[in-house]
Amino acid sequence: MRIAILISGRGSNMAALLRAAAQPGYPATIALVLSNRADAAGLAVAEAAGVPTAVVESRAFKGDRAGFEVAMEAELARHGVQLVALAGFMRVLTEGFVDRWRDRLVNIHPSLLPLFKGLDTHARALAAGVKLHGCTVHLVRSGVDEGPILAQAAVPVLSDDDEASLAARVLEQEHRIYPAAIGWLAAGLVRIEGDVVTVAAPAASGALANPLPGPAPVPTNRSAS
Ligand code: GAR
């Protein structure tokens, strides 16, 4: 299956997908890396890996989102793209684009959706005091950060975490689950029924919990002893 990766910046998830696609037997080819910004650092990484790149500057369209998407889709068509993977692509797509690419448009988001949609997910997770945080790969629907969930990974939130340490722990998992989820889609292992996705792939490792459940501490009653 021919995949386009859409980026706006660093492109570490894109790099993880490129590494996976370079492995023998991976069921997808990265046909194009497209950025909406010419200064996206990820473009150089893709070029170094010999992957075709394109830039469609969103700024040049001055708010004409549909026009911007028509230009992007011309690039997608030119490269025979069958599936689009958003990887830190920081533009909201129109309902028209989302509908045209239904079930062929995937996103990675740095939270356990449906918690913390939108931006600044790590700061908001810390402020909310959650004990588990993580990342989600999902099919894109018209609501921002909404759509059937393909894969999630959870990480503990530690008491001395700051935004950077938590983001790094989550990003490591993003790099693991995004290539896996794209691989399942490309291999035809995914069934989508309404909001629920079933993957006919070997189960991932067991559930994560933090703090680890154990026996409840026994209260001591000193005066009775
Ligand atoms: C990633 O953490 C990704 O989950 C997030 O942006 C970062 C991009 O990093 N995406 C979003 O917040 C989309 N709502 P990368 O360019 O190194 O892959």
Side-chain angles (χ1 to χ4, degrees), residues 91-168:
R91 308 300 303 177
V92 175
L93 297 162
T94 67
E95 211 168 319
F97 185 94
V98 169
D99 283 349
R100 285 194 294 284
W101 288 88
R102 190 181 171 88
D103 295 344
R104 299 182 298 141
L105 178 60
V106 189
N107 183 40
I108 184 146
H109 182 75
S111 78
L112 291 172
L113 290 173
L115 284 175
F116 309 123
K117 294 173 181 171
L119 299 175
D120 300 324
T121 56
H122 308 306
R124 286 158 58 213
L126 287 170
V130 295
K131 300 295 181 226
L132 289 169
H133 184 45
C135 50
T136 304
V137 179
H138 66 99
L139 293 160
V140 176
R141 297 289 185 260
S142 55
V144 172
D145 298 323
E146 278 179 12
I149 291 171
L150 281 157
Q152 289 186 307
V155 300
V157 180
L158 304 180
S159 53
D160 59 353
D161 266 332
D162 58 18
E163 209 178 322
S165 62
L166 184 55

Side-chain angles (χ1 to χ4, degrees), residues 9-14 87-90 107-110 118 145 171 174:
R10 176 179 60 180
S12 74
N13 276 292
M14 172 211 75
F89 184 70
M90 302 314 254
N107 183 40
I108 184 146
H109 182 75
D145 298 323
L171 192 64
E174 295 186 39

